[in-house]
Amino acid sequence: MNQDFKSNVEYLEHYNIQFKRTSNVINFLNTNDINRIKRYFPYSKNDWSNINFERIIKKIQFDSFLRNQLFNIVSSIEITFKSILTKSIFMLYNNKYPYNENSFFLDLKYKNEFKKKIENIKQTFRKAPNDVFLQKYFVKSSRVRLPISAIIQKLTFGETIYFFRTFSLDIERIVIKEFNHTSISTFLSNMICVKNIRNACCHLDILNNKKYSTKPNLNYNQKKKIGFSLLNQDLLFLQLYNLKLLCLNKKVWNESLKVLINQITKNTKEKVLKPLQQFGFPKNWIELLR
């Protein structure tokens, strides 16, 4: 019995929360912090004595599963985005260092900002030169030139989205066409939704009943397909639909969707999750996500 287990048990007993000491419950209490666990409790402590603790465990485990699956999809979108962006730049500039040209940016202020980021990448490497990906670009010479492909690979997802909007319109148009978008602003809005999902996964947010501040920007045909009544909702389903549209690696999407369908269906039947309509899921949600 470790200290976390002991403190977790004391907390639950203090609030008269009943639980069985099964191997599953013991293992869970050994490996989870009570501050994370109680985020799944009812808002009012007056209701805590009626908690079904085994169901709370299943909710937390489902959320962990959901975060892993969504992060896998988001990672695929990020990889594809960076790859298409890099190829588009080479297609237009045929140059490893296009960021030296003024025409590469919408405005010269962005050129200076991008060069600061390059210097930041170099400084980070010099402090901890264990990045195998960058090692080949650093030689004894003090003057190191990083190709655009290396820079894009070292940007975070959020930085990639930000700097993408500072590049020339010609680059932007090629990229959004690959993602089947016609509007740069719509594409950026939808990518920000993906970034927010990524951040929520990394920060261990409760995803299944989370309210999402940024909604996907869908075109008319997409709105018509899913139903106009869903568009005002700030729940999970619209975010999943947006991921489907932006995940160009269909193998990743289909494999993730298969396990998502199984787990969502299973946990709904077992009443671990609330009815799917409360998460913005229409009756034909499986058909729409396939």
Side-chain angles (χ1 to χ4, degrees):
M1 181 188 297
N2 63 31
Q3 192 61 35
D4 286 338
F5 177 85
K6 185 179 178 182
S7 59
N8 287 347
V9 170
E10 288 174 353
Y11 187 91
L12 295 176
E13 289 178 342
H14 176 76
Y15 287 102
N16 297 316
I17 297 171
Q18 303 299 313
F19 62 96
K20 297 177 182 178
R21 298 198 181 207
T22 63
S23 58
N24 184 47
V25 171
I26 291 172
N27 181 59
F28 180 82
L29 291 174
N30 262 312
T31 54
N32 287 274
D33 179 70
I34 193 63
N35 290 316
R36 179 186 171 220
I37 297 170
K38 69 182 182 181
R39 291 191 301 158
Y40 292 80
F41 291 177
Y43 181 75
S44 172
K45 288 185 178 179
N46 295 329
D47 299 326
W48 283 16
S49 59
N50 297 320
I51 284 175
N52 181 328
F53 191 67
E54 284 73 16
R55 187 168 291 170
I56 292 289
I57 291 176
K58 288 183 178 180
K59 283 184 178 181
I60 294 172
Q61 289 172 337
F62 173 78
D63 236 14
S64 177
F65 156 81
L66 184 60
R67 283 192 297 269
N68 288 337
Q69 290 302 316
L70 296 190
F71 190 81
N72 184 43
I73 296 167
V74 168
S75 296
S76 175
I77 294 172
E78 178 180 359
I79 290 168
T80 303
F81 180 35
K82 288 183 174 183
S83 174
I84 290 174
L85 178 56
T86 303
K87 288 177 183 176
S88 301
I89 291 169
F90 279 121
M91 186 189 303
L92 286 171
Y93 288 87
N94 194 27
N95 180 351
K96 290 183 178 181
Y97 316 100
Y99 50 82
N100 290 322
E101 300 181 28
N102 293 342
S103 63
F104 185 72
F105 299 93
L106 291 174
D107 191 291
L108 286 182
K109 67 180 179 181
Y110 298 130
K111 181 178 181 180
N112 295 329
E113 205 172 336
F114 195 68
K115 289 203 168 184
K116 285 180 183 177
K117 180 59 192 177
I118 296 171
E119 288 307 311
N120 179 260
I121 292 171
K122 291 178 183 179
Q123 288 172 15
T124 301
F125 177 83
R126 289 189 177 107
K127 288 178 183 176
N130 55 354
D131 189 325
V132 177
F133 181 77
L134 289 179
Q135 280 176 356
K136 59 185 174 183
Y137 302 111
F138 284 78
V139 290
K140 292 183 179 180
S141 169
S142 60
R143 187 170 181 269
V144 175
R145 297 179 73 197
L146 292 179
I148 188 68
S149 56
I151 297 165
I152 289 175
Q153 287 304 313
K154 300 312 294 182
L155 296 177
T156 65
F157 190 28
E159 287 171 338
T160 308
I161 295 169
Y162 174 79
F163 282 114
F164 167 75
R165 57 180 281 274
T166 73
F167 296 160
S168 76
L169 289 175
D170 289 336
I171 296 171
E172 294 176 355
R173 289 186 184 113
I174 294 173
V175 172
I176 68 167
K177 186 177 179 181
E178 290 289 324
F179 279 95
N180 302 308
H181 279 62
T182 56
S183 162
I184 293 168
S185 61
T186 296
F187 175 76
L188 285 168
S189 174
N190 292 343
M191 274 297 189
I192 287 170
C193 288
V194 177
K195 183 196 77 170
N196 291 344
I197 289 281
R198 185 189 188 284
N199 291 345
C201 290
C202 292
H203 297 148
L204 304 182
D205 281 8
I206 300 174
L207 296 183
N208 64 76
N209 61 355
K210 177 182 173 68
K211 295 198 174 198
Y212 297 86
S213 57
T214 307
K215 299 175 190 174
N217 196 338
L218 307 178
N219 64 37
Y220 177 81
N221 289 333
Q222 291 161 352
K223 291 175 183 177
K224 186 177 179 181
K225 186 173 183 178
I226 67 170
F228 291 98
S229 60
L230 290 178
L231 300 177
N232 292 325
Q233 296 184 357
D234 51 6
L235 303 171
L236 179 61
F237 177 76
L238 276 182
Q239 303 297 327
L240 287 177
Y241 190 73
N242 184 53
L243 292 180
K244 172 199 171 181
L245 298 175
L246 289 170
C247 186
L248 301 187
N249 187 330
K250 294 310 174 188
K251 182 181 178 182
V252 169
W253 173 256
N254 290 332
E255 288 176 353
S256 295
L257 180 62
K258 183 179 179 180
V259 291
L260 277 170
I261 290 171
N262 289 339
Q263 285 298 313
I264 290 173
T265 304
K266 176 178 178 288
N267 282 277
T268 304
K269 283 181 180 177
E270 294 177 359
K271 297 186 178 178
V272 174
L273 299 178
K274 296 176 183 177
L276 289 179
Q277 289 79 2
Q278 295 186 33
F279 306 133
F281 281 63
K283 290 181 179 179
N284 62 336
W285 67 275
I286 295 176
E287 176 190 341
L288 290 172
L289 292 179
R290 276 181 172 152

